[in-house]
Amino acid sequence: MVTMRYPARRDTGAAARYLTPEEARLLLVDRGLDQVIPVETLAGTVTHSRSGARPVAGKYPLVVLSPGFTVHRSTLTALAEELASRGYVVASVDHAYESVGTAFPGGRVLTCLACEKTEAGTPMQAVSDNRAEDVSFLLDRLTGRDPVWRHSRLIDEHRIAMAGHSIGGASAVAAMAGDPRIRAGINLDGGLATPVPAAGLGGRPFMLVGAQERGPGGNPSWDRDWPLLDGWKRWITFTGSGHFTFSDFPAIGEALGLPVDPNAPLPGTRSVELTRRYVTAFLDLHLRGTPQPLLDGPTADAPEVRFHTP
C-alpha cells in the first residue's frame, strides 16, 4: 500500500485520516499503549492532507519514504506533508506483511508475518533487500509506460530520492545499490542491515541522520560503511533524541501528554522541526541544485545538531 502526496490546490478534496480504527488498534497494542490511548483518538488524529485534492500542475521531484519495521507508513506523515508542501511528490510505502497492521481496499488487514520470520532467525538484511525490490517495483509502476497513478504526470522521473526510518533507512542503501534511478538517499537512525557495496553508490549523495548515540563509535554498521559512501555525504545526530525521534511518535506523545522518555528528552515539536529542516535541505540541494549552507556545519539556531567527520 502506498500513500501519494503532492502539491495540491487549497480547499479541494476531503480531510484524510491518519489511520483506520483497526490499524490504530493494532499499532497501540504493539506499542503497549492500548490501555493508555483510546483507539478513536489515534485513528481520529487530524492530518493536513486532503484526499482527492486537485494537484498544482507541474513536474516535481519524487521522494519515496519507507517506515520502520512493524510500524505503519503513517508514522512519517509529518515529514511527508512537509515535503509535499514544498513541491515534492511523496510516496509513503507500507511493505506487505511488515507492519503490525495495514488496511487494504475491501477490508483486508495484513499483519506482520515478517516479524515471525525475523524472530525465527531470518536476518534483517532480508527485510531491507526485499524493501529495495518493492521500491524498484513501485518506481516501475509510477514512471513506466503504463503508470497506475492517475497523477503520474506530476513526477519528474529524473529526480528521485529515497529516505527511510530505521530498517527503512537501510532499505535506502539497498534500493540505491540496485536501482540507478534513485539519485540520493537518507537513513534516519537505521542500522545498515544491507551494507553499502564495496564499490560505493556510484558517487550518489547519502546522509546519515541519527539519535544522539549514533555518533562515531556508537553504531558499528555506520562506522563500517561511512568510508564506502563515495559521493557527497553527511553524518549528523540530534542531541536528546532517540530512535523514534524521526517519526511522528514524539509529537503525538507530546500532544497526548504521555511521559517524556528520559533518554530522549528532545521535545516532539522540535523533533519534527529538525527532521523536516535537514531532510528538506538535503533534497533541495541534491534534487533541485539549491545551495544549502545549513548542511555545511553547526548553526546557532540548531544547537542540538552535531556534525561528525570520522
Side-chain angles (χ1 to χ4, degrees):
M1 284 298 295
V2 182
T3 296
M4 301 298 301
R5 293 183 175 86
Y6 49 91
R9 296 189 179 279
R10 185 183 299 274
D11 299 327
T12 64
R17 62 188 176 188
Y18 190 71
L19 290 165
T20 69
E22 182 63 4
E23 288 172 331
R25 185 188 71 80
L26 291 168
L27 183 59
L28 290 171
V29 169
D30 182 66
R31 298 283 109 188
L33 294 171
D34 51 310
Q35 301 302 311
V36 180
I37 303 173
V39 167
E40 56 270 20
T41 298
L42 184 57
T45 297
V46 176
T47 74
H48 297 281
S49 304
R50 309 284 293 180
S51 180
R54 287 190 292 131
V56 176
K59 283 285 189 181
Y60 305 102
L62 171 66
V63 182
V64 178
L65 295 182
S66 180
F69 195 52
T70 78
V71 297
H72 194 274
R73 65 189 185 280
S74 69
T75 58
L76 296 177
T77 292
L79 178 57
E81 291 185 337
E82 176 74 8
L83 295 175
S85 78
R86 297 193 177 275
Y88 290 90
V89 172
V90 183
S92 300
V93 184
D94 258 344
H95 305 271
Y97 299 106
E98 289 188 20
S99 85
V100 293
T102 297
F104 277 69
R108 280 193 310 152
V109 177
L110 301 190
T111 55
C112 192
L113 298 185
C115 295
E116 300 173 13
K117 295 280 190 178
T118 56
E119 289 168 3
T122 298
M124 289 304 292
Q125 182 171 347
V127 176
S128 54
D129 288 349
N130 179 71
R131 289 190 178 200
E133 294 184 17
D134 284 354
V135 171
S136 287
F137 173 77
L138 174 64
L139 295 182
D140 290 343
R141 302 298 280 161
L142 290 177
T143 66
R145 295 179 60 183
D146 187 22
V148 296
W149 185 43
R150 62 176 177 157
H151 298 312
S152 61
R153 64 186 181 281
L154 298 175
I155 296 173
D156 182 346
E157 62 188 63
H158 302 294
R159 293 187 292 167
I160 298 173
M162 180 176 173
H165 172 236
S166 193
I167 194 66
S171 304
V173 168
M176 290 179 70
D179 197 323
R181 291 175 292 184
I182 304 171
R183 287 179 44 180
I186 303 173
N187 177 358
L188 300 171
D189 205 54
L192 294 173
T194 296
V196 175
L201 294 174
R204 287 169 290 171
F206 201 87
M207 185 164 71
L208 299 169
V209 184
Q212 58 185 347
E213 71 273 14
R214 284 204 190 266
N219 183 271
S221 68
W222 287 24
D223 291 324
R224 178 197 68 205
D225 288 2
W226 174 255
L228 300 176
L229 294 171
D230 56 343
W232 185 103
K233 58 186 178 181
R234 290 292 184 274
W235 181 340
I236 65 176
T237 55
F238 296 172
T239 301
S241 63
H243 185 56
F244 282 98
T245 286
F246 312 95
S247 72
D248 294 350
F249 283 142
I252 290 177
E254 185 176 83
L256 292 172
L258 297 181
V260 174
D261 181 353
N263 297 313
L266 188 67
T269 50
R270 186 63 168 165
S271 299
V272 168
E273 179 187 357
L274 291 176
T275 301
R276 285 171 159 178
R277 186 189 302 183
Y278 282 86
V279 170
T280 302
F282 174 88
L283 296 170
D284 283 350
L285 175 62
H286 296 295
L287 295 187
R288 289 189 165 129
T290 306
Q292 298 294 323
L294 180 71
L295 299 176
D296 293 339
T299 61
D301 66 343
E304 307 95 333
V305 180
R306 299 184 60 194
F307 284 72
H308 304 282
T309 54

